[in-house]
Amino acid sequence: MIPTGLLGGSFNPAHGGHRAISLNAIDALGLDELWWLVSPGNPLKPNAGMASLPARLASARHMARRSPIRATGIEAELGTRYTIDTLKLLVRRYPDRQFIWIMGADNLVQLPQWRDWRGIARLMPIAVVARPGYNDRAHARRAMGWLRRFVRPADQKLHWTDWRPPALVFLRFSPDVRSATAIRQANPRWFERYEGRALRDPLTRSRLADPIRKGRI
């Protein structure tokens, strides 16, 4: 089995903070690869200010270069909208891989709003990356009321492939304050350098054309 991390997000745009967290997680968890699941759309985020999927995927591919990170838009091909559905299909499609879901402490705060969030925890282990300003709230929220019993010691994190889910481990790295919001505020037209590209997805090998060029939004 190939130990593989999964990190989902809008990547609007991908930035050095995503890369740093991912490389740290690869090292901390002993991963062969980490996949960035660039979402076609997040039901919990507004569409306003969201760049096209090809532009966001291109920014992720650029940021992931020369690393064990693979940026993919596979959710668009799978036709899934919710994390639980994506993860179920990935487990079926890639039986040679053992997955761990990686999320920031900010997402743990929102986790009870996700569809079948307990099902996610039952499907694969979860690694939560500490983020400044969110860690205390994450521990206090309703998700931890159920997940607390499944928390594993951080010093056992390299043995996650032996864990039977639900299993949760907290990872703490040097704080990284970079954010996509700050990048968009500094450069609202950041996506223009990536638009108009047709990319071949590293997992599906299909080409993802820019929907703007096809008259869609």
Side-chain angles (χ1 to χ4, degrees):
M1 300 287 279
I2 304 170
T4 305
L6 299 173
L7 178 67
S10 300
F11 297 93
N12 187 41
H15 55 77
H18 292 130
R19 182 182 175 96
I21 287 173
S22 299
L23 293 178
N24 283 328
I26 289 170
D27 182 61
L29 298 168
L31 305 177
D32 278 19
E33 289 186 346
L34 190 148
W35 296 355
W36 284 351
L37 305 179
V38 184
S39 173
N42 186 333
L44 297 179
K45 289 187 177 182
N47 289 327
M50 188 69 67
S52 69
L53 175 58
R56 291 184 284 116
L57 181 58
S59 79
R61 292 274 297 273
H62 177 76
M63 189 56 59
R65 67 193 186 284
R66 296 189 297 276
S67 80
I69 302 168
R70 301 175 75 182
T72 174
I74 192 173
E75 283 184 291
E77 179 174 313
L78 295 176
T80 54
R81 187 181 182 198
Y82 297 100
T83 299
I84 182 63
D85 299 325
T86 298
L87 299 187
K88 285 180 177 179
L89 289 176
L90 289 179
V91 168
R92 294 173 193 164
R93 181 176 283 204
Y94 300 99
D96 60 330
R97 293 183 180 269
Q98 191 163 357
F99 292 112
I100 183 168
W101 178 249
I102 299 170
M103 63 166 60
D106 54 329
N107 283 323
L108 187 58
V109 173
Q110 295 182 334
L111 189 59
Q113 301 176 44
W114 294 20
R115 173 171 289 188
D116 194 11
W117 62 276
R118 290 183 177 89
I120 295 172
R122 293 186 180 104
L123 187 62
M124 63 183 62
I126 298 174
V128 178
V129 179
R131 288 194 63 185
Y134 288 97
N135 303 320
D136 292 340
R137 282 192 291 164
H139 282 280
R141 291 292 178 117
R142 182 162 64 95
M144 284 307 299
W146 184 75
L147 287 169
R148 188 170 289 110
R149 78 195 82 169
F150 305 118
V151 174
R152 301 300 183 96
D155 60 3
Q156 296 180 14
K157 57 185 177 292
L158 281 172
H159 303 290
W160 69 268
T161 54
D162 298 325
W163 297 345
R164 180 178 178 180
L168 182 78
V169 64
F170 285 91
L171 305 178
R172 294 187 179 274
F173 310 129
S174 297
D176 194 311
V177 298
R178 288 174 285 188
S179 74
T181 300
I183 293 173
R184 293 195 303 272
Q185 289 174 346
N187 180 17
R189 309 294 296 178
W190 67 266
F191 52 85
E192 290 181 343
R193 66 179 292 195
Y194 297 109
E195 282 187 340
R197 301 186 184 183
L199 304 176
R200 189 174 296 280
D201 192 282
L203 300 185
T204 67
R205 307 310 302 167
S206 60
R207 296 186 73 84
L208 182 66
D210 192 333
I212 294 176
R213 298 174 65 194
K214 295 184 177 180
R216 298 199 304 271
I217 58 175

